[in-house]
Amino acid sequence: DALDGVTITVGSKEFDEQLVLGQIAILTLQAAGADPVDQTNITGTDAVRQSLVTGQIDLYWEYTGTAWVSFLKQTERVTDPEQLFDKVKTLDAENDVTWWARAPGNDTYAIAANRAAAEEHGVTTISDYAELAKSNPEAASTCMGPEFNSRDDGLPGLTAMYGFTLPDAQRHEVNDAVVYTEVGSGKTCDFGSVASTDGRIPAQDLIVLEDDKSFFPIYNPAITIRTELATKYPGLEDVFTPIAEALDDKTLLALNEQVSVEGAAPEKVAADWLRDKGFIG
Ligand code: PBE
C-alpha cells in the first residue's frame, strides 16, 4: 500500500469538536496503513494554521468560513456551501494548502442567550439583541472567547453589521468552554458567543438567536493538508471523503456532546463512531 509506514502529523485546535475530528483523522490514517503522529490540541486557530503552513503539522480539519473571512480576508458573502468550499480551495492553493472532503455539518459561530433573560427582554434575533445593547446595555452583558472577541467573523464584524457597540463593562472575555455555563447560569452574562454544534447549548438550555442579517458565513469542516503531501498521496482524499460526508449537524452535535457533556475521551468517541459506521475495522 502506498501509505504503508508514511508518517503524517495531525493537528487540531483545542476545543472538543476539534479534538474528536483530530482523533477521527488519526484513526482513519492508521486504518489506511499510515503512521500518524498526534499533535492535536493546539490553542488558537492562528497557531494551528501557522503550524500547517510552516510544516510542523501535515493536516487538520478547518472550517470553510473561518478560512474565507479570517485567513483569506474575503468580504463577499457566499451562501452556497459547496461554492464557498470551491472558492476557499482555489484561493488557499496559493498558500500551498489543499482542501479535501467537505463535511455537510455547519459549526457556525452564534449568539446564544440565557432562556429566562431572552424571554424577559423579548429577544429572539441578533437584531433584538443589538437593540437591547443600545437601549439597556446592562441587560446585554456578553461572555465570549478570545477569538470571537477579535476575529473579523466575530464581535468586531457583528457589531459593525448590526450597528451597535458593546460597552467594555458588558464585554467579558473568558475561555470558550466557560461561556456556556456563564450564560446558562445568567450570573455574569445573559448572552454569549457559542459554536452551534456544541453539546452544551442544549445541556445549558440556551437559546440560539437568529442571525437575521446573515452575518455569519458557513462553517463546514474539511481536511486542510499541505499541498506537497496531498500531491504525493492523492489517494488519501478518497479515504476522507465518505467520512466527511457523514459529519452532518446532528452527528457533530452528538459526538461533541459525549465529550463536552458526558466527559468521554475524544479518542474513544472517535473510535466508537468510526467502527459503528464501518469506516474502520
Ligand atoms: N467556529 C465555531 C470557530 C470556533 C467555533 C467553527 C466558527 C472556529 O474554529 O473557527
Side-chain angles (χ1 to χ4, degrees):
D1 196 308
L3 283 168
D4 267 351
V6 175
T7 300
I8 299 175
T9 304
V10 176
S12 83
K13 310 184 196 185
E14 79 285 6
F15 54 90
D16 292 339
E17 175 170 281
Q18 281 277 314
L19 298 178
V20 174
L21 290 173
Q23 293 305 317
I24 287 176
I26 287 170
L27 292 163
T28 301
L29 289 167
Q30 230 158 37
D35 207 351
V37 176
D38 187 340
Q39 287 281 0
T40 57
N41 200 6
I42 299 170
T43 300
T45 293
D46 287 344
V48 194
R49 167 71 176 192
Q50 218 31 45
S51 301
L52 184 75
V53 295
T54 59
Q56 284 163 279
I57 62 169
D58 292 317
L59 66 85
Y60 79 100
W61 295 85
E62 186 50 276
Y63 304 88
T64 50
T66 302
W68 184 246
V69 179
S70 229
F71 304 156
L72 303 167
K73 301 289 172 206
Q74 298 299 303
T75 51
E76 186 200 340
R77 180 146 302 278
V78 183
T79 50
D80 179 71
E82 208 171 314
Q83 214 187 352
L84 180 61
F85 177 85
D86 290 343
K87 283 175 179 272
V88 165
K89 187 181 173 87
T90 302
L91 280 184
D92 219 9
E94 287 164 29
N95 304 315
D96 298 319
V97 173
T98 295
W99 285 70
W100 280 345
R102 180 182 68 85
N106 179 18
D107 180 12
T108 182
Y109 267 140
I111 298 294
N114 176 281
R115 183 173 295 274
E119 279 165 11
E120 184 191 335
H121 300 292
V123 172
T124 60
T125 65
I126 298 181
S127 285
D128 295 339
Y129 158 73
E131 273 311 310
L132 184 68
K134 284 193 261 186
S135 62
N136 184 4
E138 270 96 87
S141 252
T142 305
C143 286
M144 66 199 82
E147 287 192 25
F148 190 83
N149 200 1
S150 62
R151 270 165 56 167
D152 290 343
D153 57 341
L155 194 75
L158 187 81
T159 51
M161 179 174 268
Y162 279 91
F164 72 107
T165 50
L166 202 55
D168 282 347
Q170 273 72 51
R171 186 170 173 168
H172 303 275
E173 187 177 303
V174 297
N175 283 339
D176 280 301
V178 172
V179 174
Y180 301 87
T181 42
E182 285 291 349
V183 179
S185 74
K187 273 185 204 136
T188 315
C189 297
D190 281 330
F191 299 90
S193 68
V194 296
S196 63
T197 52
D198 197 291
R200 291 164 291 200
I201 294 173
Q204 294 288 336
D205 195 28
L206 308 184
I207 297 206
V208 174
L209 303 184
E210 187 201 332
D211 178 14
D212 53 311
K213 291 195 174 172
S214 297
F215 166 70
F216 295 112
I218 298 153
Y219 296 90
N220 295 141
I223 294 283
T224 59
I225 178 170
R226 294 194 300 113
T227 296
E228 190 193 350
L229 210 75
T231 311
K232 219 161 153 193
Y233 306 107
L236 264 180
E237 182 173 10
D238 293 340
V239 174
F240 282 113
T241 298
I243 293 170
E245 279 170 358
L247 294 168
D248 56 14
D249 284 336
K250 264 181 68 180
T251 303
L252 288 174
L253 182 78
L255 295 173
N256 295 340
E257 213 157 31
Q258 292 175 57
V259 179
S260 309
V261 181
E262 293 158 28
E267 189 177 1
K268 181 175 174 354
V269 173
D272 287 352
W273 181 74
L274 285 167
R275 262 189 224 109
D276 189 53
K277 289 276 165 189
F279 292 128
I280 62 171

